[in-house]
Amino acid sequence: MNNELKKTLQVLIVENSDVDRAVLINMLSKAPYGSFQISATDSLQETFQLLKQTPVDIVLLDLNIKDSNGIDTLKRLHTRHPDLAVVVNTGEYQDDLGLKAVTMGAQDYLIKGMYKSYGLVKSLYYAIERKKAEAELRKALEELKEMQAHLIRAEKMNVVGGVASGIAHEVKNPLATILYGVEYLNTVLTDGDEKIALTLRSMKDAAHKANSIIKDLLDFASLSDIKKEFYPIEKPIEQGLILTHHQCEKSQIKVIKQYATNLPDLFIDKNRIEQVMVDLILNAIAVMKNGGTLTVRTVRKNFERSDIHSASNLMDTVAIGEDVLIVDFEDSGNGISDEFLEKIFDPFFTTHRAAGGVGLGLSIARTIMDSHEGMIDLCNKDDQKGARARLIFKVKGM
Amino acid sequence: MGTEPKRILIVDDEVGFTEMVKLNLEDTGRFFVRIENDPTQAFETALGYRPHLILLDIIMPEMEGPDVLVKLRNNEQTAKIPIIFLTATVRKSEVYEERGFISGYPFLAKPCTVLELITAIDQNI
């Protein structure tokens, strides 16, 4: 006998009629194979309660019950419990209702009085198998979508990388000329000519901005060059905070540090990870222009699915239960809209282009985390205002 | 300091950049700067000018910086002249990572400030 058939099925009968309910229980108890643990109710409300309290493998669902009618009953159940196997069992026969039920999430459709014990049991077991196959298919589809997105990202980065190294040399030379010209004019400028001094300052700032864009592009182009060593994670965090200290002060941002003690060293490229830290801190500062709080936290734990929000992290390599070190940056800004969350890691996507953002920071950060077999996750905080950027590093096997 | 200004030769095909370097360095009163925008002439210019230090670009048409370096090192009159590579092909972070030296030679990444340039010259002259 197949192992699946040896298992006792937890069946929940949702049935309005006492008689029909008794018939179903009788049929299952006399079934030619399989064993069943049965619970029953006549309302959707109680169904939801029972599903909270006890594990259920499958629901045998009458569509017309005490507190719900027609296909809406299935819709409501499926919306709240999309992973539950459901066999619709109804006296209402319409040609298209069965098809409708199946497209709306049921695994099978039975008409009362039209089947016997054997047919019922077969339908239940098949429905569970179908549901499993459906879940696997959905998972494969999600992985495929993520893989496709990953390839598009990689291709974009390849193109950018090639272009970047090519233009960097051509652009840096004229920039150097401009900067040296400005420096010379500054030294010979007579005191008191504020307009000329302002012009020179603006030219210098513009040249530095252009240079930092080139630097971003070059960083992007050289991401394969990673040098790892064992290093305490607090150091790149602290260095990131030092480098951004001025901006934090300017925007009146209070930094709260909550570091766990006795953390193990991580096998990381300290410069690259510092770059990630700086980028996340600068992003946090950018959304708190009128002041706020930046909380930086480290914690070591066993990885759980709920530790990340982004579905695009499904492909990542950290396994559930794995020993990980988490670094969180929480801001008190207005959070990120769902639309932005989807695109936030795409190269050249930025919400602060006007302020000089090129839109490469987070794609660079993600690529750096990828090369450390780690994860980067962005989400809005559950309980309060603001967003959270999270880095997850594997403790072992790095 | 009271010493004679040091002779600096800059070999770089970027005309505007070399002129700005000359202006800034000579403005300090501590250096004389000779410009060579044609890398194929760099060796002869060095031989005649006898600089205390050479600032050498890497990517140049017709002859690249490392080839100029080999030519200078192969002649005993120019072999010992200190050289600083001044180039747009490396990033500042790479220069810091390597503590200012790549393949044994001091490097400066363009654009660097005049102060960084003078500091590097002082350290290598």
Side-chain angles (χ1 to χ4, degrees):
Chain A
M1 191 188 270
N2 184 311
N3 274 341
E4 287 301 314
L5 299 182
K6 284 181 197 160
K7 193 185 132 196
T8 299
L9 280 192
Q10 310 284 337
V11 183
L12 172 58
I13 298 173
V14 183
E15 175 58 64
N16 206 29
S17 147
D18 293 344
V19 176
D20 288 347
R21 204 180 309 137
V23 168
L24 285 172
I25 293 170
N26 189 38
M27 272 185 174
L28 290 177
S29 60
K30 288 181 180 161
Y33 62 87
S35 70
F36 308 93
Q37 177 91 41
I38 301 165
S39 48
T41 172
D42 58 358
S43 76
L44 210 50
Q45 209 54 46
E46 204 188 348
T47 300
F48 291 142
Q49 270 170 18
L50 284 168
L51 286 172
K52 258 189 221 163
Q53 293 157 6
T54 48
V56 168
D57 294 311
I58 189 159
V59 173
L60 246 174
L61 182 71
D62 185 3
L63 293 180
N64 297 316
I65 49 176
K66 210 160 82 179
D67 54 359
S68 185
N69 275 303
I71 199 77
D72 196 42
T73 310
L74 172 65
K75 210 179 191 174
R76 285 165 66 190
L77 177 64
H78 185 65
T79 308
R80 297 252 308 241
H81 296 275
D83 297 327
L84 191 64
V86 177
V87 171
V88 168
N89 177 49
T90 183
E92 189 183 347
Y93 178 74
Q94 289 167 23
D95 270 349
D96 61 344
L97 191 63
L99 192 64
K100 217 169 173 182
V102 171
T103 54
M104 293 187 70
Q107 277 62 57
D108 204 354
Y109 176 80
L110 299 174
I111 297 157
K112 288 177 186 175
M114 304 281 282
Y115 55 86
K116 292 186 175 162
S117 181
Y118 179 78
L120 173 64
V121 173
K122 195 174 94 169
S123 172
L124 293 184
Y125 277 106
Y126 280 25
I128 287 173
E129 287 309 308
R130 257 181 234 134
K131 190 73 197 175
K132 271 190 207 159
E134 188 191 300
E136 277 166 25
L137 209 64
R138 199 183 308 130
K139 192 170 164 246
L141 183 69
E142 275 171 11
E143 284 180 2
L144 204 67
K145 276 186 185 165
E146 172 55 19
M147 177 86 85
Q148 195 184 22
H150 196 80
L151 283 174
I152 291 172
R153 251 188 339 257
E155 182 55 31
K156 249 182 178 175
M157 292 180 76
N158 245 341
V159 173
V160 173
V163 174
S165 341
I167 62 169
H169 183 253
E170 299 309 317
V171 178
K172 278 188 163 201
N173 270 316
L175 276 180
T177 309
I178 293 170
L179 283 168
Y180 277 17
V182 169
E183 281 203 49
Y184 177 72
L185 290 176
N186 264 325
T187 59
V188 296
L189 182 69
T190 47
D191 285 342
D193 200 336
E194 257 315 297
K195 282 182 187 164
I196 292 181
L198 176 70
T199 310
L200 288 175
R201 265 204 305 279
S202 304
M203 285 168 72
K204 194 175 169 183
D205 287 350
H208 277 302
K209 190 170 156 189
N211 188 44
S212 87
I213 292 171
I214 291 292
K215 186 186 156 290
D216 272 1
L217 283 166
L218 275 178
D219 279 344
F220 202 69
S222 64
L223 284 173
S224 52
D225 182 24
I226 295 272
K227 292 172 201 148
K228 291 185 199 167
E229 60 189 307
F230 280 98
Y231 207 70
I233 193 69
E234 290 89 353
K235 284 199 178 175
I237 299 178
E238 281 298 311
Q239 192 59 25
L241 286 169
I242 291 168
L243 289 171
T244 54
H245 178 72
H246 176 65
Q247 285 100 318
C248 270
E249 280 212 323
K250 208 168 127 193
S251 302
Q252 294 184 315
I253 290 163
K254 189 180 164 202
V255 178
I256 299 174
K257 298 175 194 173
Q258 297 174 344
Y259 297 159
T261 49
N262 297 325
L263 292 177
D265 286 357
L266 296 176
F267 194 52
I268 53 174
D269 182 323
K270 60 177 193 284
N271 294 317
R272 296 295 193 187
I273 294 300
E274 182 189 300
Q275 191 183 350
V276 174
M277 304 297 178
V278 168
D279 199 64
L280 295 183
I281 299 167
L282 287 179
N283 276 346
I285 295 170
V287 298
M288 295 189 288
K289 285 193 188 73
N290 301 317
T293 309
L294 171 66
T295 308
V296 189
R297 189 179 301 117
T298 59
V299 62
R300 183 182 182 176
K301 69 188 293 277
N302 292 323
F303 181 65
E304 293 169 65
R305 180 66 187 84
S306 60
D307 288 331
I308 51 167
H309 276 65
S310 160
S312 64
N313 271 324
L314 282 172
M315 287 275 294
D316 284 310
T317 45
V318 181
I320 305 294
E322 200 162 346
D323 188 7
V324 292
L325 204 155
I326 292 179
V327 183
D328 280 344
F329 293 89
E330 288 183 357
D331 64 57
S332 60
N334 291 325
I336 319 160
S337 76
D338 290 347
E339 185 200 348
F340 286 168
L341 266 178
E342 271 178 36
K343 300 182 198 152
I344 211 150
F345 290 106
D346 286 357
F348 300 114
F349 175 82
T350 176
T351 56
H352 37 273
R353 199 176 296 284
V358 191
L360 285 175
L362 279 175
S363 3
I364 292 174
R366 187 186 180 129
T367 311
I368 293 173
M369 288 306 288
D370 280 352
S371 63
H372 284 78
E373 290 174 56
M375 289 186 199
I376 180 165
D377 186 61
L378 259 101
C379 68
N380 289 310
K381 284 190 279 181
D382 294 335
D383 47 345
Q384 40 189 309
K385 230 177 80 174
R388 184 195 76 197
R390 169 166 283 181
L391 302 174
I392 299 173
F393 296 90
K394 287 182 189 184
V395 170
K396 285 177 192 163
M398 288 180 68
Chain B
M1 279 170 225
T3 49
E4 277 284 295
K6 302 285 184 195
R7 291 184 303 279
I8 308 292
L9 171 65
I10 177 161
V11 182
D12 192 323
D13 60 309
E14 291 285 329
V15 177
F17 178 70
T18 50
E19 280 168 355
M20 287 305 113
V21 170
K22 182 177 167 69
L23 263 182
N24 279 289
L25 290 184
E26 291 189 346
D27 199 50
T28 62
R30 298 180 48 211
F31 307 101
F32 287 135
V33 178
R34 168 76 68 90
I35 293 172
E36 182 51 79
N37 295 125
D38 179 358
T40 61
Q41 295 300 312
F43 170 68
E44 279 73 21
T45 308
L47 210 54
Y49 187 55
R50 299 293 170 92
H52 292 96
L53 182 139
I54 299 174
L55 296 170
L56 186 56
D57 188 19
I58 293 190
I59 310 281
M60 290 179 284
E62 293 181 64
M63 193 171 188
E64 301 211 327
D67 299 326
V68 175
L69 174 81
V70 169
K71 230 173 155 185
L72 291 165
R73 289 291 176 258
N74 282 341
N75 183 296
E76 60 179 37
Q77 294 188 61
T78 54
K80 295 219 163 79
I81 303 173
I83 282 171
I84 298 176
F85 280 113
L86 188 58
T87 175
T89 53
V90 293
R91 286 169 298 142
K92 264 191 181 162
S93 59
E94 288 172 303
V95 178
Y96 293 143
E97 276 164 31
E98 306 295 334
R99 293 186 175 78
F101 286 84
I102 297 180
S103 309
Y105 289 97
F107 268 71
L108 274 178
K110 283 185 199 169
C112 63
T113 64
V114 175
L115 182 65
E116 283 170 322
L117 178 64
I118 292 174
T119 308
I121 292 172
D122 285 341
Q123 280 168 354
N124 289 284
I125 217 156

